[in-house]
């Protein structure tokens, strides 16, 4: 269902983009190209709302990729922030106890200051927790709507489809109840003559009905023409029959229902509704053009007079979804009459331009499209990754929904490796992709790969990098028997500054922390100053272990002078970070 909604939204975006392109081009070709061509181009736009493109290079996919590349902060950020605050309080309390033991009552003033600082930190944590709670409610609401988008769409889709069917059925029932089959042989002969003129041999039923204000072509399976009693004059009927039979010959009834299907599927998109109106208008202009192309100048004038005559007739039934009428009101009539009077056969150069523009528009059809298959692999990876994490988290700690393993990013042998360790058995079972690696001391560790990087479980270079990283860590992290790799990024050494800049900008803590020790002292100093100035405590804390004592002392003094308690305490208790 989620995949259906994604494709639906992308198709809606594709159709809208293509429609906007056509509207821009229409400004230039409106008076140049034929009305029939303009009609069928709009039908092509409608098809864009339903049919995926067959190219990897398209505008909708570009927007989709942009949306997919937006960095998302997961729950670990909140957990880390909360943990950082608690650790700061713990560190202060430990420092306080140590001070009491050593100095006794001499440091009461320091004790009071630190107590005040503890209260301040607790208040900040409380305020943050309050904001996070409100944010969680909002996110839950959005999540609920997102998880039920298919059902919301389905309800309105059924409503739109049902409405169209009911309106059409009511119209046909009303017509049957009020209509009378035409028996006049002269009128029927005229209808047959017009059909023969257009190459139509099929017998089409003809009815009189006071319910309609304008001649109507109706009937999905068995087409019939319904005309108001005031249209019985033979000179009018000639043009009426030509018009309605052109609709029949071109299968405009089928296209009418096709457009209704597009609107029902994309009921949420106002551009789909506007497209429906645009196509109805283009359909009538196109039909007029097809009729007047076989008429002389005097007959064209008479055809225009016929259109005018039906504007004055009042019918008792207005809703006629799924039918095509001769006129749909005075507002549209002015444009149609103008097109009739300005009609001229197109020269050869216009036909050549028509072909050229058609090729360009067909190219736009693909470029504005959605190529679902191009994003399928990434989508599957994302689903697998989220599912892996969800399974692991729910089995590990379903109440708190927090990670129970340690996690950090490293750079080794040109790879950024996001490594988690200290997995419990339930968490380990959540991952299907596992590799056993033997270290230098002949110990064996099990390395799990989450769904996002499962393909690297068979990459020898990556496995070698993981082995080298594990060996380099040595006894620093003694519980490496069960390790999780959740990210693998290849970064050439000469590209490290560029990637570090990107990760810092995108607030990618893991990626930035992995590359920070590879930067030169000058670049490290630049980022430390940025972190300090912008208040990125988590970033600052994550790179503390890479700083020498002199630099730590300088920032500690600066934080004390500037009153930045959070920075001061992480520097004071750097061993805890």
């Amino acid at each position: 269902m989620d995949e259906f909604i994604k494709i639906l939204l992308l198709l809606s975006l594709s159709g809208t983009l293509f429609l906007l392109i056509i509207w821009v081009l229409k400004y230039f070709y409106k008076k140049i190209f034929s009305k029939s061509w303009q009609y069928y181009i709009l039908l092509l736009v409608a098809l864009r709302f339903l049919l995926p493109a067959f190219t990897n290079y398209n505008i909708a996919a570009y927007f989709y990729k942009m949306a997919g590349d937006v960095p998302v902060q997961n729950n670990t950020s909140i957990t880390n922030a909360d943990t950082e605050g608690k650790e700061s309080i713990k560190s202060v309390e430990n420092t306080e106890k140590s001070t009491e033991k050593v100095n006794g009552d001499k440091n009461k003033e320091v004790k009071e200051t630190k107590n005040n600082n503890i209260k301040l930190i607790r208040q900040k944590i409380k305020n943050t927790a309050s904001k996070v709670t409100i944010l969680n409610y909002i996110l839950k609401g959005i999540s609920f709507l997102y998880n039920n988008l298919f059902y919301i769409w389905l309800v309105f889709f059924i409503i739109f489809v049902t409405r169209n069917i009911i309106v059409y059925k009511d119209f046909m029932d009303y017509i049957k109840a009020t209509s009378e089959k035409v028996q006049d042989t002269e009128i029927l002969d005229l209808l047959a003559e017009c059909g023969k003129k257009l190459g139509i041999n099929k017998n089409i039923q003809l009815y009189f009905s006071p319910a309609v204000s304008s001649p109507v072509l109706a009937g999905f399976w068995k087409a019939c023409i319904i005309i108001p009693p005031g249209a019985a004059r033979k000179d009018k009927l000639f043009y009426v029959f030509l018009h309605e039979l052109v609709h029949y010959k071109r299968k405009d009834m089928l296209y009418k229902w096709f457009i209704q299907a597009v609107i029902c599927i994309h009921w949420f998109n106002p551009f789909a509704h506007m497209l429906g109106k645009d196509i109805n208008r283009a359909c009538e202009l196109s039909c007029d053009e097809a009729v007047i192309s076989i008429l002389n100048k005097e007959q064209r004038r008479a055809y225009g007079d016929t259109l005018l005559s039906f504007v004055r007739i009042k019918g008792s039934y207005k809703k006629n979804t799924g039918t095509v009428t001769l006129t749909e009101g005075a507002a549209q009539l002015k444009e149609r009459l103008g097109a009739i009077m300005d009609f001229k056969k197109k020269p050869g150069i216009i036909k050549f331009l028509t072909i050229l523009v058609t090729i360009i528009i067909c190219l736009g059809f693909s470029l504005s499209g959605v190529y679902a298959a191009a994003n399928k692999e990434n989508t599957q990876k994302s689903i697998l990754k989220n599912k892996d994490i969800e399974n692991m988290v729910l089995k590990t700690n379903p109440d708190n929904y927090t990670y129970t393993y340690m996690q950090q990013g490293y750079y080794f042998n040109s790879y950024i490796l996001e490594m988690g360790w200290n997995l419990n058995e339930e968490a380990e079972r959540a991952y299907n992709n596992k590799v056993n690696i033997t270290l230098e001391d002949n110990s064996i560790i099990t390395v799990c790969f989450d769904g996002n990087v499962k393909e690297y479980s068979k990459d020898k270079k990556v496995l070698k990098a993981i082995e080298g990283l594990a060996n380099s860590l040595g006894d620093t992290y003694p519980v490496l028997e069960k390790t999780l790799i959740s990210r693998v990024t290849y970064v050439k050494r000469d590209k490290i500054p560029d990637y570090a800049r990107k990760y810092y900008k995108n607030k990618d803590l893991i990626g930035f922390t992995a590359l920070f020790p590879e930067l030169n002292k000058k670049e490290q100093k630049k980022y430390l100053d940025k972190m300090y100035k912008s208040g990125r405590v988590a970033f600052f804390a994550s790179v503390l272990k890479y700083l020498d004592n002199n630099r730590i002392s300088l920032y500690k003094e600066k934080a004390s002078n500037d009153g930045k308690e959070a920075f001061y305490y992480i520097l004071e208790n750097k061993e805890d970070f």
Side-chain angles (χ1 to χ4, degrees):
M1 294 182 186
D2 287 345
E3 193 65 23
F4 172 82
I5 290 296
K6 286 178 184 177
I7 293 175
L8 177 66
L9 293 176
L10 285 169
L11 283 172
S12 198
L13 173 62
S14 301
T16 301
L17 289 172
F18 194 37
L19 178 60
L20 293 174
I21 292 170
I22 294 300
W23 279 348
V24 171
L25 292 176
K26 187 178 179 181
Y27 178 80
F28 300 99
Y29 67 61
K30 184 177 181 181
K31 295 183 179 179
I32 299 175
F33 298 154
S34 70
K35 305 301 180 185
S36 294
W37 181 87
Q38 296 182 42
Y39 171 50
Y40 289 114
I41 283 297
L42 286 175
L43 288 175
L44 186 65
V45 175
L47 187 63
R48 170 72 282 151
F49 278 87
L50 299 180
L51 185 66
F54 300 99
T55 174
N56 289 326
Y57 304 97
N58 53 79
I59 301 171
Y62 173 74
F63 284 122
Y64 183 77
K65 185 177 183 301
M66 284 182 63
D69 287 342
V70 175
V72 179
Q73 291 183 336
N74 56 30
N75 290 342
T76 51
S77 298
I78 297 173
T79 305
N80 289 339
D82 182 58
T83 303
E84 181 180 328
K86 290 178 180 179
E87 288 295 328
S88 297
I89 293 172
K90 185 178 178 181
S91 299
V92 175
E93 289 173 343
N94 290 338
T95 305
E96 177 187 339
K97 290 177 182 179
S98 176
T99 305
E100 282 186 5
K101 289 179 182 179
V102 176
N103 300 314
D105 296 332
K106 295 181 180 180
N107 291 316
K108 287 184 179 180
E109 186 177 346
V110 175
K111 178 181 175 182
E112 290 178 4
T113 302
K114 290 185 177 180
N115 283 335
N116 290 335
N117 287 330
I118 291 173
K119 291 178 182 178
L120 180 63
I121 293 173
R122 282 176 173 160
Q123 185 60 42
K124 286 183 179 180
I125 293 172
K126 186 177 179 181
N127 294 339
T128 303
S130 176
K131 292 177 182 178
V132 169
T133 302
I134 296 171
L135 179 62
N136 281 340
Y137 281 123
I138 296 172
L139 291 176
K140 284 180 181 178
I142 295 172
S143 177
F144 175 79
L145 290 175
Y146 177 79
N147 291 333
N148 292 278
L149 276 179
F150 174 78
Y151 300 103
I152 296 170
W153 171 84
L154 185 61
V155 167
F156 282 94
F157 171 74
I158 293 172
I159 290 172
F160 274 84
V161 171
T162 305
R163 174 187 172 277
N164 283 342
I165 293 173
I166 290 174
V167 168
Y168 180 74
K169 187 177 183 302
D170 286 349
F171 173 73
M172 294 305 296
D173 290 344
Y174 191 73
I175 290 298
K176 289 177 182 178
T178 60
S179 65
E180 179 185 351
K181 193 171 183 179
V182 175
Q183 303 292 340
D184 190 322
T185 55
E186 188 175 358
I187 294 176
L188 294 175
D189 287 343
L190 179 60
L191 176 61
E193 181 186 337
C194 291
K196 188 176 180 181
K197 191 178 183 71
L198 295 171
I200 300 172
N201 298 319
K202 189 174 181 179
N203 183 32
I204 297 176
Q205 299 296 317
L206 184 64
Y207 295 90
F208 280 128
S209 175
V212 296
S213 60
S214 176
V216 174
L217 176 68
F220 192 77
W221 304 114
K222 294 182 179 180
C224 63
I225 297 175
I226 306 152
I227 56 177
R233 282 175 47 185
K234 186 177 179 180
D235 58 336
K236 288 183 182 179
L237 287 176
F238 174 71
Y239 302 110
V240 169
F241 292 157
L242 283 179
H243 183 94
E244 299 304 332
L245 288 173
V246 166
H247 277 309
Y248 174 79
K249 183 178 181 179
R250 299 191 316 178
K251 297 181 173 55
D252 286 335
M253 278 287 297
L254 181 62
Y255 298 143
K256 184 99 173 182
W257 280 107
F258 167 66
I259 297 307
Q260 289 303 313
V262 171
I263 292 173
C264 289
I265 292 171
H266 295 274
W267 54 262
F268 54 88
N269 188 341
F271 287 96
H273 296 269
M274 294 189 322
L275 174 62
K277 294 180 181 179
D278 214 5
I279 287 178
N280 285 338
R281 184 166 54 251
C283 178
E284 294 305 322
L285 289 169
S286 172
C287 188
D288 290 340
E289 183 182 67
V291 172
I292 63 179
S293 66
I294 59 175
L295 303 178
N296 58 40
K297 189 174 181 179
E298 290 302 319
Q299 288 175 321
R300 292 171 194 164
R301 187 180 297 276
Y303 178 72
D305 292 339
T306 301
L307 295 180
L308 281 169
S309 67
F310 286 107
V311 176
R312 304 185 188 99
I313 298 176
K314 304 297 181 184
S316 57
Y317 204 93
K318 298 296 182 183
K319 294 180 180 179
N320 52 359
T321 299
T323 64
V324 279
T325 62
L326 181 70
T327 59
E328 292 192 1
Q332 189 188 98
L333 187 60
K334 182 178 178 181
E335 182 180 8
R336 293 177 65 183
L337 291 174
I340 292 169
M341 300 312 296
D342 294 338
F343 174 76
K344 292 178 183 179
K345 290 187 176 181
K346 305 300 180 184
I349 185 66
I350 297 301
K351 293 179 180 179
F352 172 76
L353 285 175
T354 302
I355 295 172
L356 183 62
V357 174
T358 302
I359 294 172
I360 294 172
I361 287 177
C362 287
L363 181 62
F365 181 92
S366 296
L367 290 176
S368 64
V370 55
Y371 184 63
N375 295 312
K376 186 176 180 180
E377 184 179 354
N378 291 337
T379 303
Q380 286 178 337
K381 286 182 181 180
S382 177
I383 292 170
L384 284 169
K385 180 179 180 181
N386 292 335
K387 190 68 178 174
D388 284 343
I389 293 175
E390 180 182 355
N391 288 340
M392 182 271 293
V393 172
L394 290 177
K395 289 177 181 177
T396 305
N397 199 342
D399 296 325
N400 296 328
Y401 200 81
T402 55
Y403 299 96
T404 60
Y405 60 83
M406 303 299 293
Q407 192 172 20
Q408 192 168 325
Y410 298 92
Y411 181 79
F412 197 89
N413 281 7
S414 300
Y415 287 99
I416 293 177
L417 301 170
E418 184 174 346
M419 179 186 288
W421 59 92
N422 198 25
L423 295 175
N424 61 28
E425 291 182 1
E426 289 188 49
E428 183 194 355
R429 284 198 293 271
Y431 298 93
N432 297 321
N433 301 286
K434 304 172 187 176
V435 177
N436 289 329
I437 294 179
T438 303
L439 303 184
E440 291 175 346
D441 59 0
N442 293 323
S443 62
I444 297 176
I445 63 171
T446 299
V447 179
C448 303
F449 292 79
D450 79 359
N452 192 46
V453 294
K454 63 179 182 180
E455 66 270 21
Y456 292 109
S457 62
K458 298 180 181 180
D459 190 316
K460 292 183 179 179
K461 291 183 179 179
V462 172
L463 293 177
K464 196 68 177 176
I466 295 171
E467 179 186 343
L469 175 61
N471 284 321
S472 69
L473 293 175
D475 297 333
T476 310
Y477 301 100
V479 240
L480 282 176
E481 289 85 1
K482 296 172 184 177
T483 302
L484 171 66
I485 299 297
S486 55
R487 171 176 174 178
V488 178
T489 306
Y490 179 74
V491 179
K492 288 184 178 180
R493 184 157 290 279
D494 60 342
K495 295 292 183 181
I496 287 176
D498 296 333
Y499 275 82
R501 190 181 308 110
K502 182 180 76 170
Y503 291 150
Y504 186 81
K505 181 180 179 181
N506 293 341
K507 298 181 180 179
D508 184 343
L509 181 63
I510 296 292
F512 179 80
T513 305
L515 296 180
F516 182 82
E518 308 301 322
L519 300 173
N520 60 46
K521 297 295 182 181
K522 185 177 180 181
E523 289 174 325
Q524 288 182 356
K525 176 69 165 57
K526 180 183 71 174
Y527 282 112
L528 288 168
D529 289 341
K530 280 185 178 181
M531 296 172 202
Y532 182 85
K533 187 175 181 181
S534 59
R536 289 193 178 182
V537 180
F539 272 76
F540 199 92
S542 69
V543 299
L544 276 180
K545 58 178 172 248
Y546 303 121
L547 306 187
D548 56 45
N549 291 331
N550 289 335
R551 186 164 288 180
I552 288 175
S553 298
L554 288 172
Y555 278 106
K556 183 178 175 182
E557 183 179 354
K558 185 174 177 61
S560 177
N561 294 333
D562 295 340
K564 292 193 174 186
E565 294 91 350
F567 281 95
Y568 180 83
Y569 284 113
I570 64 171
L571 288 162
E572 177 75 13
N573 303 278
K574 62 181 185 300
E575 293 80 9
D576 297 331
F577 295 94

